[in-house]
Amino acid sequence: MMNIERKLFGKTARGEAVTLFEIRTPELTARILDYGATVQALLVPDKNGKPVDVVLGHDTIEGYETHDGYLGACVGRVANRLGGAQFTLNGKTYILAKNDGKNHLHGGLRGFDKYVWDAEVLEDGVKFSRVSPDGEEGYPGTLRVSVSYRVANGALTITYDAVSDQDTLCNLTNH
């Protein structure tokens, strides 16, 4: 039997409410935030059957806003480092925000991990979505993104979907 509960996790420095979604089954408990579509905790049984958290996460929204590390977050538009904070696509060079010395890392100054996403409770999990507008952090095209966290057969699965109205870069992952 699955139970999905939502509760207030806190408020961002911008005043946005952040919700924690707790997905509980007999095999595991997943705690997912709408802030950054972030896995805050994942409790699974240890060798003695006692629940143990197997992911790193912060206990407050302030921890996610003030510490580096992208703990449990969905990072993008591009997960990884783009050297020189630029790329060329279809013969055009795009200049991106620099947030890692001379480079662009995990989506820039305000990547996907720093937004409160829209949330939809599913029968077996939670789906988060957001629209990254054309030009956000320097990327071309309006990108509609969703990430679904689903629990079945004692496992948490993460599925990403993204559609752009222009050619663009997109490389999403959970950090």
Side-chain angles (χ1 to χ4, degrees), residues 5-10 18-22 24 31 33:
E5 190 178 312
R6 69 173 69 202
K7 45 188 138 175
L8 181 65
F9 186 72
V18 175
T19 303
L20 179 140
F21 294 83
E22 185 171 272
R24 285 190 313 268
R31 295 183 182 134
L33 304 175

Side-chain angles (χ1 to χ4, degrees), residues 88-155:
T88 302
L89 179 65
N90 297 333
K92 181 176 179 186
T93 299
Y94 294 89
I95 305 302
L96 306 174
K98 293 178 183 174
N99 66 321
D100 181 48
K102 298 177 185 177
N103 304 308
H104 177 88
L105 180 66
H106 293 334
L109 298 171
R110 189 172 183 209
F112 289 2
D113 62 300
K114 300 294 186 212
Y115 284 90
V116 175
W117 294 49
D118 294 328
E120 173 188 356
V121 174
L122 308 171
E123 284 183 15
D124 59 351
V126 183
K127 179 180 180 178
F128 299 97
S129 59
R130 75 173 299 266
V131 175
S132 175
D134 182 36
E136 184 174 72
E137 299 292 324
Y139 290 98
T142 298
L143 186 70
R144 297 180 186 289
V145 180
S146 69
V147 57
S148 299
Y149 296 89
R150 295 175 183 259
V151 175
N153 302 317

